[in-house]
């Protein structure tokens, strides 16, 4: 498959890179419904909602091709392994088909790589055949060596994506980190960028750096700008 790039990507393809983020703590039921309706209107890849909102999102998006995703161990990754597995099973039961889990950041920084690998693997097993698993490293707290090793652990554990950030740390996706993550895993593992992608130019930049999914809240503004800027690439 030809890699996506900013020079040839179409509006439809670009929309399908976006996981529309509905994770801020202040969102009420009407906000979540409106966000899901926006996601369906723009035909993005998925919405990423809080666990409490999975059933609501699944109902609103029934009959569309927009997937329902949620978060596990969010936002700090400090839940026990058993809690993360329970969260994964409950989310799937409620209708989620994509799971964005946060690693145990403290364990990663302590060099407890076997634990981090096992934790990811246990969530992958809970989701097997039912949901994609995207693993959030939270790069803001890791060294370059830890980002590379964390990406490798994600692949060793059998997850589908390695992701930069939660959106709740001091910094988010950087181009250097995305390139490092891409270089650290095989093509079997995809890359998701999140936190700080608020403009069309930043969205296209992370696509060129290897991301095939992007967590974003400025979905409508970015896709509308793309349509206006590239009217020959709407298909």
């Amino acid at each position: 498959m030809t890699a996506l790039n900013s020079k040839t990507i179409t509006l439809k393809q670009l929309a399908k890179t976006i996981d529309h983020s509905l994770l801020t703590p202040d969102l009420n039921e009407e906000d979540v419904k409106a966000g899901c309706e926006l996601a369906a209107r723009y035909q993005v890849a998925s919405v990423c909602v809080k666990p409490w909102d999975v059933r609501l999102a699944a109902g609103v998006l029934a009959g569309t091709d927009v997937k329902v995703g949620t978060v596990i161990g969010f936002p700090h990754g400090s839940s026990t392994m058993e809690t993360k597995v329970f969260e994964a099973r409950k989310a799937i039961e409620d209708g989620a088909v994509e799971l964005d889990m946060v690693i145990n950041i403290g364990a990663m920084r302590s060099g407890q790589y076997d634990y981090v690998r096992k934790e990811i693997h246990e969530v992958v097993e809970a989701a097997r055949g039912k949901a994609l698993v995207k693993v959030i490293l939270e790069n803001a707290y890791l060294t370059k060596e830890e980002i590379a090793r964390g990406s490798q652990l994600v692949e060793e554990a059998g997850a589908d994506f390695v992701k930069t950030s939660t959106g709740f740390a001091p910094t988010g996706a950087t181009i250097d980190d995305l390139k490092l993550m891409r270089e650290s895993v095989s093509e079997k593992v995809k890359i998701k960028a999140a936190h700080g992608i608020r403009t069309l130019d930043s969205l296209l930049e992370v696509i060129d750096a290897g991301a095939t999914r992007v967590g974003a809240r400025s979905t409508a503004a970015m896709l509308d700008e793309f349509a206006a800027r590239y009217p020959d690439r709407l298909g």
Side-chain angles (χ1 to χ4, degrees), residues 16 19 44-51 53-55 57-59 61-72 87-101 123-124 126-134 159-161 192 213:
K16 288 301 182 190
D19 293 342
V44 300
S46 79
V47 294
C48 192
V49 298
K50 292 169 286 188
D53 294 321
V54 169
R55 285 180 180 268
L61 292 168
T64 76
D65 67 350
V66 178
K67 310 298 185 186
V68 176
T70 193
V71 287
I72 306 297
E87 282 188 286
R89 289 173 176 157
K90 177 59 175 169
I92 292 166
E93 178 185 313
D94 287 346
V97 294
E98 301 197 353
L99 307 176
D100 289 35
M101 72 164 286
V123 172
V124 168
R128 188 170 298 281
K130 301 171 185 175
L132 292 178
V133 177
K134 305 171 205 159
D160 301 285
F161 281 79
K192 179 174 174 179
R213 287 286 189 96

Side-chain angles (χ1 to χ4, degrees), residues 99-116:
L99 307 176
D100 289 35
M101 72 164 286
V102 188
I103 64 165
N104 187 311
I105 300 162
M108 186 70 206
R109 296 191 67 221
S110 300
Q112 297 182 36
Y113 300 146
D114 288 344
Y115 179 88
V116 175

